[in-house]
Amino acid sequence: MKKTKEQVFEHAHAGKLWAGNLIEGYQNSGVKLENRTPIDDSLIGFIADGQAEDVHAAVLVARSTFNSGSWQGLSPLERKQVMLRWASLIEFHSEELAALDCLDAGKPITECLNTDMPATVDTFYWYAEALDKMFGKVAPTSQNELGLIVHEPIGVVGAVLPWNFPAQMFAWKVAPALAVGNSVIVKPAELTSLSAYRMVELAYEAGVPKGALSLICGLGENAGEAIGRHVDIDIVSFTGSTEVGRLLLKYSAESNLKEIVLECGGKSPQVVFADADLDAAVPHIMAAAFWNMSENCSCGSRLIVHESVREKLLDKLVAAATKWKVGNPMDESISIGPMVEKVHFEKVKSFIELSLSEGAKLVTGGKIFSELGSGWYIEPTIFDNVTPDMSIFQNEVFGPLLAVSTFSTDEEAIELANNTHYSLAASFYSQNIHRVMNVARRINAGTVSVNGFSEGNITTPFGGFKQSGFGGKDNGLEAFEQYTQTKVIWIIHH
């Protein structure tokens, strides 16, 4: 049954939203966790409190299904038809899913409706269409030999999701992993499980075998660690903090050496050269810095500006910041909702205080809306005179704080841009083609956008270097590679 966003909000107000474990032939234990919305910290429902035994049950089902061939044994065309039905159902229910993400993560409903869900739907359609267009190779051999290079599904995939883009990150990982024939176990963030639960239900409706796709809700230290340590999971694909990424590498080393794909933190630079078109750059700079309350791993949280245009650009940014309205994200006029939880809010708030104490200059913002809903609302905030030794320059804040630094030469700009442990994304602005080519190659980042903020699209692989992660890429045909293994079949005939 199709639900409007108003119906979802009404169910949330009544505390009736639920996300439980979905494992074929296995019942939820009845143990559950409260699910509160960051909008006003009210109880909107419950999620299952998944434990190691739930993970083990899901792995047994996933392995049995994989070995039986009931999913991976289907022809690519047959899997494609199921995936297309699933994509169509997600599109049909996109308003409901957008409302669930708005409630769970405090994301503005307009972003969920107009950005997140269209991207989610596109991801499912794209991988459904791509799955029967992947080819192996034939090696050059003598007449008495035949060498085949084939790509086979890796087996059982654990997908551990972040809370900042719940539906979209589900699509980024589950769509390619399932499309190539794997069995997938999804563990959404405990803060944002609702849309994942609903999309798995829709997968079953579309014809995905229940054993090929399971959902485990619950805490990372319980369900997440159990996925990382399980000896019969072949790969874990994770998006989240660098800290948890380190733990997953440890769990792999201490168990079965499962493959680990990490997409972790970022401290992305935005570099504005003297010849940049400032008016064209401002909306992109603002979006990079404050989109999704800056709870985005590719957030352009460091603005590195040529000294000759610094004052002019800051004036434009201050004016632009007034248009980013803070408030209840269920209101379609709102651009900035709450931080996702109190602990995270306190962390971001502490960075405001720390930046001032370290000598950064508050240009605009810094207000805490303690009277609004949960009180976890922070307006877009810009600090100037930020130096590389300051905490706000080096550390991922994941909140609406923009750090502004200046440079005088191209070499200095590149040095400042690369002065971080992270290398996920970067953007810069210049009209000089020679500078564009030089800087684009020398900035250390998995994605570099020029004269605009972008993460690419579904056709381009997304992921970073250094402590931003490694092991594989989301998006593009490259995403298929991390969920497959390459096999050589060598045939000798006499």
Side-chain angles (χ1 to χ4, degrees), residues 71-72 79 82-83 86 124 131 153 157 173-185 203 208-209 211-214 480 483:
W71 176 246
Q72 66 133 333
R79 288 201 307 275
V82 174
M83 295 292 292
W86 190 15
F124 275 99
L131 75 88
V157 176
K173 297 191 183 299
V174 176
L178 195 66
V180 296
N182 293 294
S183 293
V184 182
I185 300 168
V208 175
L213 180 62
S214 301
F480 279 136
Y483 302 117

Side-chain angles (χ1 to χ4, degrees), residues 108 110-111 290-293 323-327 331 333-337:
T110 50
E111 285 188 12
F290 301 120
W291 169 48
N292 199 48
M293 293 75 72
K323 300 176 183 178
W324 286 65
K325 186 176 177 182
V326 179
D331 182 340
S333 69
I334 293 301
S335 303
I336 299 284

